Amino acid sequence: MKSLLFVTLVFFTLNLSAQQIPSADVKKMSGETVSTSTFQNDGKPMVISFWATWCKPCVKELNAYSDNYEDWVEETGVKIIAISIDDTRSSGRVGPYVNARGWEFDVYLDENANFKRAMNVPNVPHTFLIDGNGKIVWQHTSYVEGDEEELYQKILELAK
Amino acid sequence: MRKIILSILILACSLPVMSQSDGKPVGRLTGNFNMEAWYYLKDSVIGTEVPPEKTLMNAYGNFRYEYGNFTAGLRFEGYLNTLQGFEKGNDGTGIPYRFLSYKNDELQFTVGNFYDQFGNGLILRAWEDKNLGYDNAFEGVHVKYNPYKGVYLKGLYGRQRIFFELGDGIVRGFDAEFNLNEIFDTLSSIKSRLVIGGGIVSKYQKDENLQYNLPENVAAFAGRFNYKRGMFGLKGEYAHKINDPSADNNLIYKDGNALLLNATWSKGTFGVVLDGKWVDNMSFRSDYKAVEKNLLINYLPAITQNHTYALAAMYPYATQLTGEAGVQAELYYRLKKKSLLGGKYGTLITLNYSRVHDIERETEGLSNDTLGYTDQFLAISDELLYDDFNLKIERKFTKKFKAVLVAQHVSYNKQIIEGKGGIVYAKTGVLDLSYRLMRRHTVRLEQQILLTEQDRGDWYSAMVEYTISPHWFFSLMDQYNYGNEDKDLRVHYYTVGMGYNKGGNRIQLNFGKQREGIVCVGGVCRQVPSAYGAYVTISSTF
């Protein structure tokens, strides 16, 4: 009897640890539709950062990540996904904007804020850290210089 | 016996869980909360009033529950009463947004409230932005169906939100999108990527107008493409709307149309963006009497830059729904790291030019005066509505020191856009310096100047911001209208503020005078109306 209870409990806990990123349709620069439920990084940590071309702190934040990205990937295998919430007024700028800045992240367009709503983001910038099981383990709203250090600490803890 | 019943119970409880143990989630409740409350003070010079309530508040909370393929959500909103600068129609509380949704690999349906966009939004876009006080959500039924890889079909029936009520009109829409590279296996690995799509939207509103014979069903169509090859991209959309007399167009029966084009190219650290746009009589609402931001079915994006520095955004531009033609060009060039001009960390230069004119309308010799006017597709009038030329240089000098320099010239046809004030010509300069004092401590000094002979004259603005990562920020800002012709109106719009962030939570306290515009402080950007007083904002994501 006790063992049955135990098995049940194990199943419950197993399930709780296996989460998935909320599903919403976003677009690649080429206009191709991608479901956010397919976002994954082979069990390694993943950062999802919401930004817009018209948001100064967002661009500062992604510049700071970009400066460190090579080292971070090498040390932890982390992947950064940048979700632009620019609507069709400015979403056409995103491609060249990202290339000129030399950002190596995976960039997607969320022109009507479907994914932003699914992730309950009130304002940009807003950044989530996702563990290898797809669970949100940390988040941060707004950006000031130096915040990237806190994020990196959290990534290191996950990568251990 | 008891043992058996207990075992069955436990098994029954664990069965649905077991069947889910292949990585799918158990129930998950998430959400967010946001509130802003003001205590108002009177300033007769800048014309702010104390409302009878003294203090006003806007708030909302979203709750979202996911279980496997099901999602349910609701948003409570409270306006007790509505903050100054937002439309008072919202006063009160309610749950204007609630939905149930089911999704599997092919099909997704939603009943209740929903948002969506067809293509670029020229014929349909339901969206919300609480900072702008905008929400035109549908209430009805929404279906998404992917019958085959690369084929995306969407259909909806609904009525639109206006404050806590629904508008009169019923909106019906259908949209199809085809990703040719996904559909045809032979195209799957070629370099050229092509997505095409099209939609139709129709609204129904009973004709109760005694004077006019109004069309009860009004349809709009649109077709679009998105082509990409390597670093070159070209996309466009054309939309056409049949006769739709409304308050926006003074009840004329002329058809409307719109065209959007966007071309991009990048190579290395160089990038270019070209935009073109034509709009003629394209306001599209689910109630022909509606005005302002209410009951809009579609979205006509402006193709001018959305500035974030306060004085550069002093004269912002929004699309003229009844007609305009515009172009925009933007160039990016990043000077390489460790080069003579680029410096140790590189330098980014952005050049942007946009220009918007009215369209050419012909009113003489009309066979039918209910059409209002005739025009030639893409015929542009000499009447300038807006132009903006700006240069931005961003440079990181050392690990600790960064600078941004902006120079801008704007021509703003206040006469046509706001109905008074002639054309305003303004020159703006911005110098934004930030210096990292210690590992977590940064000080930022932002100075701006705006020079103009028209409107309210010259402005100077300075802001000092001190941030301690990852939790604290403090700021002090003053915008001084020193060039106002009226000496009594040479006012300082000052604000002192501080905030605390932790994880998904943020709390911010401010005191001062706000001039209308987009303000970005301590890491968040939002649109604000003019006001004077003390306010607190709290936001949380959970």
Side-chain angles (χ1 to χ4, degrees):
Chain A
M1 192 61 231
K2 267 188 182 160
S3 61
L4 237 175
L5 253 172
F6 179 68
V7 169
T8 316
L9 275 174
V10 165
F11 270 115
F12 267 110
T13 38
L14 262 180
N15 275 282
L16 282 174
S17 65
Q19 294 210 11
Q20 212 181 24
I21 299 163
S23 156
D25 287 345
V26 291
K27 295 213 155 156
K28 287 191 200 173
M29 277 339 121
S30 54
E32 292 166 67
T33 303
V34 176
S35 170
T36 55
S37 58
T38 63
F39 287 173
Q40 56 101 18
N41 189 26
D42 297 329
K44 292 187 203 102
M46 205 159 51
V47 172
I48 296 181
S49 187
F50 286 83
W51 71 288
T53 58
W54 43 260
C55 163
K56 280 180 293 176
C58 302
V59 174
K60 268 194 181 171
E61 175 175 19
L62 292 177
N63 275 336
Y65 295 170
S66 179
D67 287 347
N68 295 295
Y69 198 33
E70 229 173 285
D71 295 340
W72 289 5
V73 173
E74 202 170 292
E75 287 159 35
T76 64
V78 70
K79 171 149 113 185
I80 297 180
I81 295 176
I83 306 288
S84 150
I85 62 154
D86 283 86
D87 71 14
T88 50
R89 173 175 185 173
S90 47
S91 59
R93 307 166 66 201
V94 171
Y97 190 96
V98 165
N99 289 336
R101 281 180 159 71
W103 294 348
E104 303 283 333
F105 321 127
D106 293 1
V107 180
Y108 296 92
L109 303 177
D110 188 20
E111 288 175 333
N112 207 33
N114 298 327
F115 189 41
K116 175 176 176 258
R117 247 187 313 276
M119 296 288 280
N120 301 297
V121 171
N123 285 303
V124 287
H126 198 111
T127 297
F128 296 92
L129 176 61
I130 319 276
D131 72 9
N133 296 317
K135 189 179 164 200
I136 297 166
V137 291
W138 177 88
Q139 60 173 308
H140 192 83
T141 181
S142 84
Y143 171 81
V144 300
E145 271 179 62
D147 283 359
E148 65 277 10
E149 292 181 16
E150 193 196 4
L151 171 62
Y152 186 56
Q153 278 309 313
K154 301 287 173 188
I155 297 172
L156 276 178
E157 284 167 25
L158 276 189
K160 262 178 204 165
Chain B
M1 189 64 209
R2 254 182 74 194
K3 246 186 173 177
I4 293 170
I5 290 175
L6 210 73
S7 315
I8 289 171
L9 259 175
I10 288 172
L11 257 176
C13 284
S14 53
L15 260 179
V17 178
M18 284 166 75
S19 66
Q20 296 268 319
S21 66
D22 51 0
K24 283 184 182 162
V26 185
R28 177 170 47 165
L29 182 64
T30 60
N32 63 19
F33 170 77
N34 204 295
M35 75 166 277
E36 176 166 345
W38 273 77
Y39 179 78
Y40 291 96
L41 297 168
K42 187 178 166 70
D43 187 315
S44 49
V45 178
I46 60 168
T48 66
E49 294 288 337
V50 179
E53 303 94 332
K54 305 264 195 246
T55 169
L56 299 172
M57 182 215 64
N58 287 5
Y60 65 83
N62 277 295
F63 292 85
R64 193 182 167 90
Y65 183 74
E66 287 167 48
Y67 181 87
N69 293 332
F70 294 92
T71 308
L74 62 83
R75 186 195 311 119
F76 173 89
E77 294 179 22
Y79 304 85
L80 296 166
N81 278 331
T82 315
L83 290 176
Q84 287 183 358
F86 293 89
E87 287 181 85
K88 298 300 280 180
N90 272 321
D91 282 357
T93 57
I95 302 177
Y97 177 71
R98 59 250 191 255
F99 71 91
L100 289 167
S101 178
Y102 172 81
K103 178 179 191 163
N104 61 26
D105 289 342
E106 289 170 7
L107 183 76
Q108 178 182 3
F109 66 85
T110 304
V111 294
N113 301 98
F114 56 87
Y115 300 98
D116 198 9
Q117 174 174 316
F118 290 176
N120 294 289
L122 294 184
I123 57 168
L124 185 132
R125 185 186 184 202
W127 59 293
E128 47 103 19
D129 186 332
K130 291 283 163 289
N131 294 328
L132 301 170
Y134 192 97
D135 191 338
N136 64 341
F138 283 108
E139 181 161 311
V141 177
H142 183 273
V143 180
K144 261 165 78 175
Y145 184 49
N146 303 351
Y148 188 73
K149 61 182 179 173
V151 178
Y152 305 90
L153 308 176
K154 294 195 280 196
L156 64 89
Y157 275 78
R159 286 162 73 201
Q160 286 184 291
R161 175 178 178 189
I162 174 166
F163 305 120
F164 283 111
E165 318 263 307
L166 294 176
D168 276 347
I170 299 172
V171 178
R172 294 74 54 101
F174 173 76
D175 187 77
E177 191 166 283
F178 306 95
N179 180 336
L180 301 185
N181 302 86
E182 268 184 64
I183 296 171
F184 303 106
D185 290 331
T186 48
L187 301 179
S188 65
S189 57
I190 65 166
K191 217 177 161 195
S192 296
R193 318 300 295 177
L194 183 62
V195 178
I196 56 171
I200 173 168
V201 174
S202 153
K203 65 162 174 174
Y204 169 79
Q205 186 179 18
K206 196 168 185 317
D207 178 18
E208 287 169 336
N209 192 307
L210 300 173
Q211 196 184 347
Y212 290 86
N213 183 15
L214 297 175
E216 292 191 325
N217 289 288
V218 174
F221 317 82
R224 61 183 186 270
F225 71 94
N226 192 331
Y227 173 80
K228 198 163 192 315
R229 187 181 166 88
M231 289 303 181
F232 172 75
L234 180 67
K235 60 180 182 173
E237 180 164 7
Y238 173 79
H240 188 95
K241 187 189 64 159
I242 58 169
N243 61 61
D244 180 25
S246 68
D248 286 318
N249 65 15
N250 285 320
L251 295 164
I252 61 169
Y253 286 68
K254 186 185 175 301
D255 285 9
N257 58 45
L259 177 72
L260 269 187
L261 286 172
N262 168 262
T264 56
W265 183 66
S266 336
K267 191 169 171 69
T269 61
F270 177 76
V272 57
V273 182
L274 294 172
D275 285 310
K277 178 183 160 188
W278 161 270
V279 171
D280 175 19
N281 189 27
M282 261 316 268
S283 102
F284 191 31
R285 304 182 194 252
S286 56
D287 181 341
Y288 79 96
K289 300 183 295 288
V291 292
E292 294 179 349
K293 291 179 290 193
N294 301 329
L295 297 171
L296 278 163
I297 301 171
N298 66 345
Y299 175 70
L300 300 167
I303 52 162
T304 58
Q305 204 177 341
N306 201 356
H307 290 283
T308 46
Y309 287 103
L311 295 190
M314 175 82 93
Y315 299 106
Y317 186 72
T319 298
Q320 301 292 300
L321 306 179
T322 50
E324 66 169 43
V327 289
Q328 175 174 233
E330 187 157 72
L331 291 176
Y332 301 96
Y333 184 62
R334 184 159 51 95
L335 299 166
K336 290 240 166 66
K337 281 180 189 178
K338 293 171 184 138
S339 63
L340 184 64
L341 290 170
K344 192 176 171 194
Y345 295 93
T347 301
L348 184 74
I349 299 170
T350 309
L351 256 178
N352 177 284
Y353 179 70
S354 59
R355 188 174 180 95
V356 185
H357 277 239
D358 200 357
I359 56 172
E360 186 79 57
R361 299 180 182 85
E362 187 63 56
T363 49
E364 277 172 37
L366 269 182
S367 56
N368 179 350
D369 64 359
T370 59
L371 291 176
Y373 61 93
T374 56
D375 61 357
Q376 301 278 318
F377 184 58
L378 302 183
I380 297 163
S381 121
D382 290 336
E383 182 95 69
L384 173 75
L385 296 176
Y386 187 83
D387 88 347
D388 177 356
F389 177 75
N390 63 78
L391 166 73
K392 184 170 167 187
I393 301 172
E394 297 162 72
R395 181 162 177 151
K396 185 170 167 182
F397 286 88
T398 68
K399 251 189 160 163
K400 291 178 170 176
F401 179 55
K402 288 177 203 164
V404 180
L405 181 77
V406 179
Q408 179 204 32
H409 182 276
V410 172
S411 314
Y412 178 76
N413 194 330
K414 204 173 173 189
Q415 191 70 42
I416 289 192
I417 296 164
E418 298 179 23
K420 57 171 187 200
I423 297 183
V424 179
Y425 301 96
K427 295 187 201 79
T428 311
V430 178
L431 182 62
D432 181 352
L433 308 170
S434 78
Y435 187 77
R436 205 151 163 176
L437 297 167
M438 284 174 272
R439 220 174 110 227
R440 295 185 181 282
H441 295 240
T442 303
V443 62
R444 188 164 78 88
L445 172 68
E446 180 186 294
Q447 293 185 88
Q448 305 178 50
I449 189 158
L450 182 146
L451 304 171
T452 178
E453 302 287 318
Q454 293 85 27
D455 201 34
R456 287 178 288 179
D458 304 339
W459 289 79
Y460 172 75
S461 159
M463 171 156 99
V464 184
E465 187 183 87
Y466 193 93
T467 58
I468 308 166
S469 170
H471 299 309
W472 294 96
F473 88 88
F474 305 89
S475 72
L476 190 64
M477 182 177 78
D478 185 28
Q479 286 178 23
Y480 178 33
N481 190 192
Y482 72 94
N484 202 307
E485 273 189 11
D486 183 342
K487 283 201 170 107
D488 293 335
L489 290 176
R490 292 180 183 171
V491 181
H492 290 272
Y493 291 80
Y494 59 87
T495 307
V496 291
M498 61 172 291
Y500 179 77
N501 285 309
K502 194 176 178 198
N505 298 332
R506 174 180 177 85
I507 179 160
Q508 187 178 335
L509 296 167
N510 281 69
F511 174 78
K513 294 178 187 177
Q514 257 182 12
R515 192 185 57 76
E516 194 181 19
I518 296 171
V519 171
C520 297
V521 180
V524 170
C525 292
R526 58 184 291 268
Q527 188 93 21
V528 290
S530 65
Y532 177 37
Y535 67 94
V536 56
T537 57
I538 300 170
S539 79
S540 174
T541 299
F542 49 86

